[in-house]
Amino acid sequence: MNYLIFMLAIAMCFGLNEGIVCNIDNRHLPQCNVGCLMNTLEIQNKLNPNSILKVNCSSNKNEDDGLHEVKVNDKYQIFLRERGLGSRIVWRCLLRHGHKVENFQIIWRAYRGASGSRCGQKRSWIARVDGIYLEKDSKAKGLQYHWNVTKQ
Ligand SMILES: *[C@@H]1O[C@H](CO)[C@@H](O)[C@H](O)[C@H]1NC(C)=O
Ligand SMILES: *[C@@H]1O[C@H](CO)[C@@H](O)[C@H](O)[C@H]1NC(C)=O
């Protein structure tokens, strides 16, 4: 019987740990006392050698991170905090590449906050020749967008 209660307690701990949401205000919770890791929005350039990927991202809170040129095998990162319900953060990015910068795509929800503010989330968008791939917290989610081509 004691053994059963013990197992139940362990199961509850794991369950709680998994669902816990940590932010600056609940650092006193033991699960959160390492603080709240920043969330990461990342754009990787895995195009052909010498291709430059042009990226500009902005949020629904009027934050604009400007234009960035990302070299092949390089990455560009934005570190951000979530703000929770009522102030949900959404970042969008414009990605462009090509001789005449003719290939482009807009990722409208490159990073989207949850209703409870989370920590340590990561969204990686990987630009490849055939399109843009997503990795969510290091889990591959596959091809999300093909490149659109502007008429010359
Ligand atoms: C990227 O920059 C262009 C040119 O300034 C602008 O029109 C566009 O809204 C920007 N896109 C994003 C997602 O910030
Ligand atoms: C890209 O092309 C698709 C299909 O033609 C279109 O639905 C989409 O709106 C285009 N995206 C942009 C950012 O123009």
Side-chain angles (χ1 to χ4, degrees):
M1 192 60 202
N2 276 341
Y3 175 76
L4 233 144
I5 290 168
F6 176 71
M7 289 310 284
L8 197 69
I10 293 214
M12 277 177 71
C13 277
F14 276 102
L16 284 176
N17 270 331
E18 213 174 326
I20 200 84
V21 162
C22 301
N23 61 34
I24 300 159
D25 297 322
N26 54 22
R27 276 192 182 153
H28 59 279
L29 293 176
Q31 298 92 333
C32 301
N33 63 11
V34 291
C36 177
L37 291 174
M38 296 288 271
N39 302 295
T40 310
L41 166 58
E42 176 179 280
I43 315 286
Q44 294 180 25
N45 181 347
K46 296 280 182 187
L47 296 164
N48 286 332
N50 300 320
S51 301
I52 295 288
L53 179 68
K54 298 188 180 215
V55 184
N56 66 306
C57 301
S58 55
S59 82
N60 60 342
K61 308 293 177 201
N62 284 325
E63 297 153 293
D64 189 331
D65 208 49
L67 179 65
H68 295 261
E69 300 201 342
V70 186
K71 291 181 187 137
V72 170
N73 292 325
D74 215 345
K75 62 193 176 192
Y76 159 56
Q77 295 180 314
I78 294 174
F79 300 103
L80 56 103
R81 292 213 184 278
E82 293 200 10
R83 301 164 189 217
L85 200 64
S87 192
R88 197 192 290 262
I89 189 114
V90 182
W91 280 82
R92 56 183 172 261
C93 298
L94 170 65
L95 275 59
R96 295 176 295 153
H97 75 94
H99 285 300
K100 296 176 176 173
V101 205
E102 68 276 23
N103 303 289
F104 73 98
Q105 192 53 264
I106 297 173
I107 308 171
W108 288 103
R109 289 175 172 181
Y111 190 100
R112 183 171 181 266
S115 52
S117 43
R118 297 168 298 183
C119 305
Q121 293 280 311
K122 188 171 185 182
R123 303 290 175 269
S124 296
W125 297 91
I126 303 152
R128 299 184 190 278
V129 173
D130 63 335
I132 304 168
Y133 291 72
L134 172 62
E135 275 181 15
K136 199 171 175 178
D137 296 327
S138 303
K139 283 193 268 305
K141 297 288 177 184
L143 180 70
Q144 305 293 312
Y145 295 96
H146 290 288
W147 295 107
N148 281 15
V149 184
T150 51
K151 294 196 182 84
Q152 301 300 312

